[in-house]
Amino acid sequence: MKDRYSRQELFSPIGKEGQKKIKDKHVLLVGAGALGTASAEVLVRAGIGKLTIVDRDYVEWSNLQRQQLYDEEDAERKIPKAIAAKERLSKVNSHVEIIPHVIDGTSEKLESLLHDVHLILDATDNFDTRMVLNDLSQKNNIPWIYGACVGSFGMSYTIIPGKTPCLHCLLEHVPVGGMTCDTVGIISPVIQMVVAYQVSEALKILVEDEESLRQTLVSFDLWKNQYTAVKVGKMKKHTCLSCGNYPTYPFLSFENQTKTEVLCGRDTVQIRPPKAVQYDLEKLADQLSHEGEIERNPYLLSFTVESFRIVIFRDGRVFVHGTKDIKEAKTLYYRYLG
Ligand SMILES: [Zn+2]
């Protein structure tokens, strides 16, 4: 027990002092896929005080190739990722407080989780949520670390409100917006590399060593053997609507929050009801059992009908698997749940 962090404390930029600081910190991790599970494991082993995990999805077989906290049983039982991650992480380090949220990362929900958060870590797979994180970071003065990967290409950048340009400032200059979908697949070493950049920067922030932060946008392609680090300091814009002199935080406005969307690289549409609904999954299972095949766990209900699988979460969200067509997904939604 006593030696648990000895190797990290021997590393002089951290030391015993830094270790205490790490223990006092709370990190909000948005996304518990490939990047999220790898970052979470490193941070929990490093001994942070508190980790809040937000993820909207559940574990599937295609995740096991690279999402390192999950196993076959999680996929078999369709356990929500935030829950499965907490179970595994608690076994790795029982001293870390881990708070899972099986929700969609909308601006209101994420903002409600920011109390006493010292750092936001991006492990999402989509551009919309990243821009929400960017605005929340500026509005609440919390640093965040961008990380993205696709194929053999990865990218990372650290954003300190009031100091560095924000992601919105960089949009016109670098292709940070294009890194959104996993339709071309991914090799797992890229994930480990992005996470290495993200978590190294995270540790510097947690031990309050801002001088050592990288201050470049780093990108690399492990297959093509390319590496670049771009100094972006001069790209900060006074007119930026997220971090400029008169910010409006445009990505936090309700109109910019999509309600129905095709999930990244998958034959799946997510429908989020316009008003908050809490389903009684047991009752719903009874009703739907006459229509098709039902599977259920404490967090969600999966319902198979024709070639579609409809997954209903307690918070009212619905995944329609088997289509990329929003209209078709909505028709099914209204037929069975409307
Ligand atoms: Zn900006």
Side-chain angles (χ1 to χ4, degrees), residues 269-280:
V269 175
Q270 172 179 264
I271 298 171
R272 200 190 315 136
K275 276 182 286 176
V277 207
Q278 280 267 340
Y279 283 119
D280 180 341

Side-chain angles (χ1 to χ4, degrees), residues 22 44 67 118 200 249 290:
I22 291 173
V44 163
Q67 302 188 11
H118 300 94
S200 302
Y249 312 116
H290 312 288

